[in-house]
Amino acid sequence: SQQGEEDPQALSIQEGENATMNCSYKTSINNLQWYRQNSGRGLVHLILIRSNEREKHSGRLRVTLDTSKKSSSLLITASRAADTASYFCATRAFPQGGSEKLVFGKGTKLTVNP
Amino acid sequence: KAGVTQTPRYLIKTRGQQVTLSCSPISGHRSVSWYQQTPGQGLQFLFEYFSETQRNKGNFPGRFSGRQFSNSRSEMNVSTLELGDSALYLCASSPGLGRGSTGELFFGEGSRLTVL
């Protein structure tokens, strides 16, 4: 089953507004990553937050992590039309007896209207 | 540095046929992972290879197989294609896995398979 679940599934905002996406996961993690995917293209890594970190910034991106609630949020400030894409959270799970693998949620589809 | 290259980008097959997809990772990367992406199931992990060894496998039937060569290039094969195999197949590479690595993945543009 999916490790991460994003919320909302779709989000539509106006240019200049902030966009917030949430991710919940089920098991203990080593780190949580956010990726972006433009329609039909490959995924691009945006930001990584380790399990011992609570907040991280990168340009217009701000990620928070609450391990007690098993949740993370991605905030995109001052959004632009070019931010229109799907955003996925991904977690490193540690399956018993297996190596690490990256498990993705179903994503939030963000539309930024000019 | 060249990115992850996947070939072919698009292909159309009919039920019962087989298909082989290729992935060339970023130079120096030794780990290659494969994912299947469909609108209904999202991104599903297929398998991961490191130094020619399969390190992890997702919950897919035996019709899905893969391998990695000594130069880290990887192929995946799907035999006896079914309509439900229509998907975007994504390959991702990383330097390698270990407790000290972050596990950030670098994705190719994908191979879009349509099964008729």
Side-chain angles (χ1 to χ4, degrees):
Chain A
S1 62
Q2 298 291 124
Q3 165 75 315
E5 294 290 338
E6 289 90 342
D7 168 60
Q9 291 186 340
L11 180 61
S12 182
I13 60 175
Q14 295 299 122
E15 225 172 9
E17 294 180 339
N18 295 341
T20 300
M21 289 158 267
N22 303 298
C23 168
S24 60
Y25 57 92
K26 298 175 184 175
T27 65
S28 297
I29 61 170
N30 176 273
N31 64 58
L32 186 144
Q33 305 176 31
W34 285 90
Y35 287 78
R36 163 197 168 123
Q37 183 182 35
N38 287 76
S39 181
R41 308 289 298 275
L43 280 75
V44 175
H45 182 267
L46 293 176
I47 193 166
L48 177 151
I49 186 164
R50 299 178 192 273
S51 59
N52 61 354
E53 297 176 312
R54 291 297 167 258
E55 187 172 313
K56 201 162 184 180
H57 296 254
S58 176
R60 293 184 297 113
L61 305 179
R62 172 179 169 252
V63 170
T64 62
L65 179 65
D66 187 335
T67 53
S68 67
K69 295 181 179 178
K70 291 186 168 56
S71 68
S72 172
S73 68
L74 170 68
L75 169 67
I76 304 174
T77 60
S79 63
R80 306 165 182 168
D83 294 329
T84 294
S86 291
Y87 293 82
F88 297 86
C89 70
T91 53
R92 282 279 166 194
F94 295 90
Q96 188 173 11
S99 65
E100 305 169 25
K101 66 177 183 179
L102 200 59
V103 180
F104 288 83
K106 289 203 171 183
T108 292
K109 188 169 184 178
L110 173 66
T111 302
V112 181
N113 302 298
Chain B
K1 213 179 213 184
V4 177
T5 303
Q6 290 189 246
T7 56
R9 289 290 315 278
Y10 303 91
L11 65 166
I12 300 172
K13 294 285 187 179
T14 56
R15 279 181 298 175
Q17 287 187 310
Q18 74 162 7
V19 66
T20 299
L21 307 178
S22 179
C23 173
S24 293
I26 291 172
S27 178
H29 285 190
R30 296 169 65 191
S31 173
V32 173
S33 299
W34 288 89
Y35 288 83
Q36 180 198 64
Q37 186 177 31
T38 59
Q41 297 299 315
L43 280 154
Q44 300 283 316
F45 174 78
L46 280 158
F47 23 66
E48 177 224 331
Y49 288 89
F50 180 80
S51 293
E52 302 179 66
T53 301
Q54 187 181 87
R55 288 168 56 108
N56 214 333
K57 190 176 189 301
N59 296 323
F60 278 81
R63 300 185 297 106
F64 291 81
S65 63
R67 59 178 176 169
Q68 186 180 33
F69 302 95
S70 58
N71 61 358
S72 292
R73 190 176 71 84
S74 178
E75 288 182 349
M76 67 162 284
N77 184 77
V78 188
S79 62
T80 319
L81 284 166
E82 300 176 359
L83 296 179
D85 297 333
S86 294
L88 181 65
Y89 290 87
L90 292 162
C91 166
S93 74
S94 68
L97 295 183
R99 295 298 172 185
S101 72
T102 61
E104 173 187 346
L105 295 183
F106 297 82
F107 282 84
E109 295 289 354
S111 293
R112 182 164 296 281
L113 170 65
T114 301
V115 182
L116 302 175

